[in-house]
């Protein structure tokens, strides 16, 4: 019910962590949907709605001074740390964390901070038993029951954290 937040300047790089092939990587690289990606892959995308968040490489990030090598290493490290934690939590509640995106920002002192929320809108979650999508793809693919799926994810998480905190 409370949140401490800091004003940040957003680093215009979205970090996408992939545990399984889905979405754009399937189209770009011809991978089979659902194939395991191990170890998890971190991809970079230029944060631009007008351009459709195109994929970029480290050379773009450094050339345009969006982040230093040290900052990028820290963003990757933190993204993988978040992935490790969330993968375990979702596994415990019967969901597979397929992929998700994170954004970072710098505060007034230049400190790098996670500057994004984690929701089914910025991730892919599949039910372990049915393989059913419980995320943004329900809307994108016109599968219906978007709100019901999000509510189901919420209820599972609520139960998990009520018994594990």
């Amino acid at each position: 019910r409370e949140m401490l937040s800091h004003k940040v300047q957003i680093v215009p790089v979205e970090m996408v962590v992939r545990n399984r092939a889905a979405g754009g990587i399937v189209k770009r690289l011809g991978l089979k949907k659902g194939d395991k990606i191990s170890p998890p892959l971190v991809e970079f995308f230029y944060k631009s709605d007008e351009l459709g968040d195109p994929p970029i490489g480290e050379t773009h990030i450094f050339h345009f001074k969006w982040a230093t090598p040290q900052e990028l290493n820290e963003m990757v490290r933190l993204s993988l740390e978040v992935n490790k934690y969330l993968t375990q939590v979702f596994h415990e509640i019967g969901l597979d964390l397929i992929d998700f995106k994170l954004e970072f920002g710098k505060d007034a002192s230049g400190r790098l901070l996670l500057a994004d929320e984690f929701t089914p809108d910025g991730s892919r979650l599949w039910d372990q038993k049915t393989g059913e999508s419980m995320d943004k793809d329900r809307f994108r693919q016109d599968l219906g029951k978007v709100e019901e799926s999000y509510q189901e994810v919420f209820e599972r998480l609520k139960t998990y954290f009520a018994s594990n905190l």
Side-chain angles (χ1 to χ4, degrees), residues 4-5 22 33 42 57 60-61 73 86 109 116 128 160:
L4 175 62
S5 59
K33 182 179 177 180
V42 179
H60 298 97
I61 296 167
N73 286 340
L86 290 178
S109 69
D116 202 3
Q128 290 173 354
Y160 173 83

Side-chain angles (χ1 to χ4, degrees), residues 44 56-67 72:
F44 314 119
I56 56 173
E58 291 180 3
T59 54
H60 298 97
I61 296 167
F62 303 148
H63 180 82
F64 295 109
K65 298 179 177 35
W66 294 326
L72 185 60

